[in-house]
PDB file of all heavy atoms in Angstrom:
ATOM      1  N   SER A 563      96.400  95.256  89.512  1.00 86.00           N
ATOM      2  CA  SER A 563      95.068  95.667  88.992  1.00 86.00           C
ATOM      3  C   SER A 563      94.002  94.612  89.216  1.00 86.00           C
ATOM      4  O   SER A 563      92.825  94.947  89.156  1.00 86.00           O
ATOM      5  CB  SER A 563      95.184  95.958  87.502  1.00 86.00           C
ATOM      6  OG  SER A 563      95.645  94.770  86.776  1.00 86.00           O
ATOM      7  N   LYS A 564      94.397  93.409  89.574  1.00 85.00           N
ATOM      8  CA  LYS A 564      93.420  92.320  89.811  1.00 85.00           C
ATOM      9  C   LYS A 564      93.122  92.198  91.335  1.00 85.00           C
ATOM     10  O   LYS A 564      92.385  91.316  91.758  1.00 85.00           O
ATOM     11  CB  LYS A 564      93.954  90.980  89.305  1.00 85.00           C
ATOM     12  CG  LYS A 564      94.078  90.973  87.753  1.00 85.00           C
ATOM     13  CD  LYS A 564      94.575  89.588  87.308  1.00 85.00           C
ATOM     14  CE  LYS A 564      94.741  89.568  85.777  1.00 85.00           C
ATOM     15  NZ  LYS A 564      95.235  88.291  85.271  1.00 85.00           N
ATOM     16  N   GLY A 565      93.683  93.142  92.094  1.00 86.00           N
ATOM     17  CA  GLY A 565      93.495  93.039  93.554  1.00 86.00           C
ATOM     18  C   GLY A 565      94.372  92.011  94.271  1.00 86.00           C
ATOM     19  O   GLY A 565      94.153  91.724  95.457  1.00 86.00           O
ATOM     20  N   THR A 566      95.414  91.524  93.562  1.00 86.00           N
ATOM     21  CA  THR A 566      96.259  90.528  94.168  1.00 86.00           C
ATOM     22  C   THR A 566      97.424  91.203  94.887  1.00 86.00           C
ATOM     23  O   THR A 566      98.073  92.102  94.286  1.00 86.00           O
ATOM     24  CB  THR A 566      96.786  89.556  93.146  1.00 86.00           C
ATOM     25  OG1 THR A 566      95.673  88.926  92.458  1.00 86.00           O
ATOM     26  CG2 THR A 566      97.698  88.497  93.721  1.00 86.00           C
ATOM     27  N   TRP A 567      97.676  90.785  96.089  1.00 86.00           N
ATOM     28  CA  TRP A 567      98.881  91.257  96.836  1.00 86.00           C
ATOM     29  C   TRP A 567     100.004  90.230  96.781  1.00 86.00           C
ATOM     30  O   TRP A 567      99.831  89.079  97.289  1.00 86.00           O
ATOM     31  CB  TRP A 567      98.500  91.496  98.270  1.00 86.00           C
ATOM     32  CG  TRP A 567      97.499  92.586  98.487  1.00 86.00           C
ATOM     33  CD1 TRP A 567      96.208  92.598  98.243  1.00 86.00           C
ATOM     34  CD2 TRP A 567      97.794  93.933  98.979  1.00 86.00           C
ATOM     35  NE1 TRP A 567      95.625  93.793  98.588  1.00 86.00           N
ATOM     36  CE2 TRP A 567      96.572  94.644  99.001  1.00 86.00           C
ATOM     37  CE3 TRP A 567      98.972  94.566  99.447  1.00 86.00           C
ATOM     38  CZ2 TRP A 567      96.488  95.990  99.442  1.00 86.00           C
ATOM     39  CZ3 TRP A 567      98.893  95.845  99.874  1.00 86.00           C
ATOM     40  CH2 TRP A 567      97.672  96.519  99.897  1.00 86.00           C
ATOM     41  N   HIS A 568     101.069  90.564  96.082  1.00 89.00           N
ATOM     42  CA  HIS A 568     102.182  89.638  96.014  1.00 89.00           C
ATOM     43  C   HIS A 568     103.391  90.409  95.679  1.00 89.00           C
ATOM     44  O   HIS A 568     103.329  91.635  95.312  1.00 89.00           O
ATOM     45  CB  HIS A 568     101.947  88.488  94.984  1.00 89.00           C
ATOM     46  CG  HIS A 568     101.882  88.956  93.599  1.00 89.00           C
ATOM     47  ND1 HIS A 568     102.937  88.800  92.688  1.00 89.00           N
ATOM     48  CD2 HIS A 568     100.922  89.569  92.879  1.00 89.00           C
ATOM     49  CE1 HIS A 568     102.563  89.242  91.489  1.00 89.00           C
ATOM     50  NE2 HIS A 568     101.402  89.760  91.616  1.00 89.00           N
ATOM     51  N   HIS A 569     104.562  89.793  95.670  1.00 93.00           N
ATOM     52  CA  HIS A 569     105.868  90.455  95.370  1.00 93.00           C
ATOM     53  C   HIS A 569     106.155  90.258  93.857  1.00 93.00           C
ATOM     54  O   HIS A 569     105.836  89.208  93.297  1.00 93.00           O
ATOM     55  CB  HIS A 569     107.015  89.876  96.146  1.00 93.00           C
ATOM     56  CG  HIS A 569     106.806  90.147  97.665  1.00 93.00           C
ATOM     57  ND1 HIS A 569     107.216  89.166  98.606  1.00 93.00           N
ATOM     58  CD2 HIS A 569     106.308  91.167  98.348  1.00 93.00           C
ATOM     59  CE1 HIS A 569     106.938  89.665  99.824  1.00 93.00           C
ATOM     60  NE2 HIS A 569     106.396  90.892  99.667  1.00 93.00           N
ATOM     61  N   TYR A 570     106.746  91.293  93.279  1.00 95.00           N
ATOM     62  CA  TYR A 570     107.034  91.227  91.855  1.00 95.00           C
ATOM     63  C   TYR A 570     107.995  90.090  91.465  1.00 95.00           C
ATOM     64  O   TYR A 570     108.005  89.613  90.358  1.00 95.00           O
ATOM     65  CB  TYR A 570     107.524  92.517  91.293  1.00 95.00           C
ATOM     66  CG  TYR A 570     108.907  92.963  91.782  1.00 95.00           C
ATOM     67  CD1 TYR A 570     110.080  92.472  91.215  1.00 95.00           C
ATOM     68  CD2 TYR A 570     109.065  93.869  92.837  1.00 95.00           C
ATOM     69  CE1 TYR A 570     111.329  92.864  91.679  1.00 95.00           C
ATOM     70  CE2 TYR A 570     110.310  94.261  93.276  1.00 95.00           C
ATOM     71  CZ  TYR A 570     111.456  93.760  92.697  1.00 95.00           C
ATOM     72  OH  TYR A 570     112.709  94.177  93.134  1.00 95.00           O
ATOM     73  N   PHE A 571     108.767  89.610  92.439  1.00 94.00           N
ATOM     74  CA  PHE A 571     109.747  88.587  92.203  1.00 94.00           C
ATOM     75  C   PHE A 571     109.219  87.169  92.595  1.00 94.00           C
ATOM     76  O   PHE A 571     110.033  86.199  92.644  1.00 94.00           O
ATOM     77  CB  PHE A 571     111.044  88.856  92.915  1.00 94.00           C
ATOM     78  CG  PHE A 571     110.878  89.319  94.406  1.00 94.00           C
ATOM     79  CD1 PHE A 571     110.833  88.416  95.381  1.00 94.00           C
ATOM     80  CD2 PHE A 571     110.797  90.685  94.677  1.00 94.00           C
ATOM     81  CE1 PHE A 571     110.691  88.789  96.677  1.00 94.00           C
ATOM     82  CE2 PHE A 571     110.636  91.108  95.977  1.00 94.00           C
ATOM     83  CZ  PHE A 571     110.523  90.135  96.982  1.00 94.00           C
ATOM     84  N   GLU A 572     107.959  87.099  92.956  1.00 88.00           N
ATOM     85  CA  GLU A 572     107.353  85.828  93.329  1.00 88.00           C
ATOM     86  C   GLU A 572     106.149  85.501  92.507  1.00 88.00           C
ATOM     87  O   GLU A 572     105.424  86.429  92.112  1.00 88.00           O
ATOM     88  CB  GLU A 572     106.964  85.850  94.839  1.00 88.00           C
ATOM     89  CG  GLU A 572     108.126  86.019  95.773  1.00 88.00           C
ATOM     90  CD  GLU A 572     107.701  86.193  97.204  1.00 88.00           C
ATOM     91  OE1 GLU A 572     106.530  86.563  97.444  1.00 88.00           O
ATOM     92  OE2 GLU A 572     108.518  86.008  98.094  1.00 88.00           O
ATOM     93  N   ASN A 573     105.857  84.261  92.316  1.00 79.00           N
ATOM     94  CA  ASN A 573     104.713  83.865  91.541  1.00 79.00           C
ATOM     95  C   ASN A 573     103.717  83.274  92.535  1.00 79.00           C
ATOM     96  O   ASN A 573     103.659  82.125  92.888  1.00 79.00           O
ATOM     97  CB  ASN A 573     105.050  82.774  90.520  1.00 79.00           C
ATOM     98  CG  ASN A 573     103.865  82.407  89.612  1.00 79.00           C
ATOM     99  OD1 ASN A 573     102.889  83.148  89.605  1.00 79.00           O
ATOM    100  ND2 ASN A 573     103.945  81.226  89.031  1.00 79.00           N
ATOM    101  N   ILE A 574     102.795  84.180  92.978  1.00 67.00           N
ATOM    102  CA  ILE A 574     101.787  83.814  93.981  1.00 67.00           C
ATOM    103  C   ILE A 574     100.429  83.657  93.275  1.00 67.00           C
ATOM    104  O   ILE A 574      99.912  84.571  92.668  1.00 67.00           O
ATOM    105  CB  ILE A 574     101.654  84.904  95.075  1.00 67.00           C
ATOM    106  CG1 ILE A 574     103.001  85.178  95.725  1.00 67.00           C
ATOM    107  CG2 ILE A 574     100.629  84.524  96.128  1.00 67.00           C
ATOM    108  CD1 ILE A 574     103.599  84.010  96.420  1.00 67.00           C
ATOM    109  N   PRO A 575      99.847  82.448  93.270  1.00 53.00           N
ATOM    110  CA  PRO A 575      98.636  82.207  92.542  1.00 53.00           C
ATOM    111  C   PRO A 575      97.371  82.829  93.103  1.00 53.00           C
ATOM    112  O   PRO A 575      96.408  82.995  92.439  1.00 53.00           O
ATOM    113  CB  PRO A 575      98.513  80.679  92.562  1.00 53.00           C
ATOM    114  CG  PRO A 575      99.214  80.280  93.829  1.00 53.00           C
ATOM    115  CD  PRO A 575     100.365  81.231  93.980  1.00 53.00           C
ATOM    116  N   LYS A 576      97.391  83.184  94.412  1.00 51.00           N
ATOM    117  CA  LYS A 576      96.185  83.770  94.973  1.00 51.00           C
ATOM    118  C   LYS A 576      96.534  84.948  95.837  1.00 51.00           C
ATOM    119  O   LYS A 576      97.675  85.116  96.297  1.00 51.00           O
ATOM    120  CB  LYS A 576      95.434  82.708  95.785  1.00 51.00           C
ATOM    121  CG  LYS A 576      96.189  82.168  96.972  1.00 51.00           C
ATOM    122  CD  LYS A 576      95.369  81.086  97.675  1.00 51.00           C
ATOM    123  CE  LYS A 576      96.119  80.545  98.878  1.00 51.00           C
ATOM    124  NZ  LYS A 576      95.357  79.507  99.575  1.00 51.00           N
ATOM    125  N   SER A 577      95.563  85.815  96.024  1.00 52.00           N
ATOM    126  CA  SER A 577      95.779  87.052  96.774  1.00 52.00           C
ATOM    127  C   SER A 577      96.069  86.766  98.241  1.00 52.00           C
ATOM    128  O   SER A 577      95.505  85.892  98.825  1.00 52.00           O
ATOM    129  CB  SER A 577      94.541  87.925  96.648  1.00 52.00           C
ATOM    130  OG  SER A 577      94.657  89.119  97.391  1.00 52.00           O
ATOM    131  N   PHE A 578      96.986  87.557  98.778  1.00 49.00           N
ATOM    132  CA  PHE A 578      97.194  87.519 100.234  1.00 49.00           C
ATOM    133  C   PHE A 578      97.502  88.932 100.701  1.00 49.00           C
ATOM    134  O   PHE A 578      97.981  89.770  99.958  1.00 49.00           O
ATOM    135  CB  PHE A 578      98.359  86.570 100.643  1.00 49.00           C
ATOM    136  CG  PHE A 578      99.707  87.121 100.280  1.00 49.00           C
ATOM    137  CD1 PHE A 578     100.413  87.870 101.211  1.00 49.00           C
ATOM    138  CD2 PHE A 578     100.261  86.922  99.072  1.00 49.00           C
ATOM    139  CE1 PHE A 578     101.664  88.344 100.935  1.00 49.00           C
ATOM    140  CE2 PHE A 578     101.559  87.380  98.732  1.00 49.00           C
ATOM    141  CZ  PHE A 578     102.241  88.092  99.692  1.00 49.00           C
ATOM    142  N   ARG A 579      97.195  89.171 101.970  1.00 51.00           N
ATOM    143  CA  ARG A 579      97.508  90.472 102.531  1.00 51.00           C
ATOM    144  C   ARG A 579      97.653  90.322 104.044  1.00 51.00           C
ATOM    145  O   ARG A 579      96.701  90.075 104.750  1.00 51.00           O
ATOM    146  CB  ARG A 579      96.416  91.514 102.248  1.00 51.00           C
ATOM    147  CG  ARG A 579      96.839  92.923 102.727  1.00 51.00           C
ATOM    148  CD  ARG A 579      95.773  93.914 102.414  1.00 51.00           C
ATOM    149  NE  ARG A 579      96.221  95.223 102.826  1.00 51.00           N
ATOM    150  CZ  ARG A 579      95.428  96.347 102.732  1.00 51.00           C
ATOM    151  NH1 ARG A 579      94.168  96.213 102.342  1.00 51.00           N
ATOM    152  NH2 ARG A 579      95.889  97.467 103.120  1.00 51.00           N
TER     153      ARG A 579
END
Side-chain angles (χ1 to χ4, degrees):
S563 60
K564 297 180 180 180
T566 301
W567 293 75
H568 67 104
H569 298 144
Y570 67 83
F571 47 87
E572 296 173 341
N573 183 20
I574 304 297
K576 61 182 179 180
S577 176
F578 74 91
R579 186 181 185 186

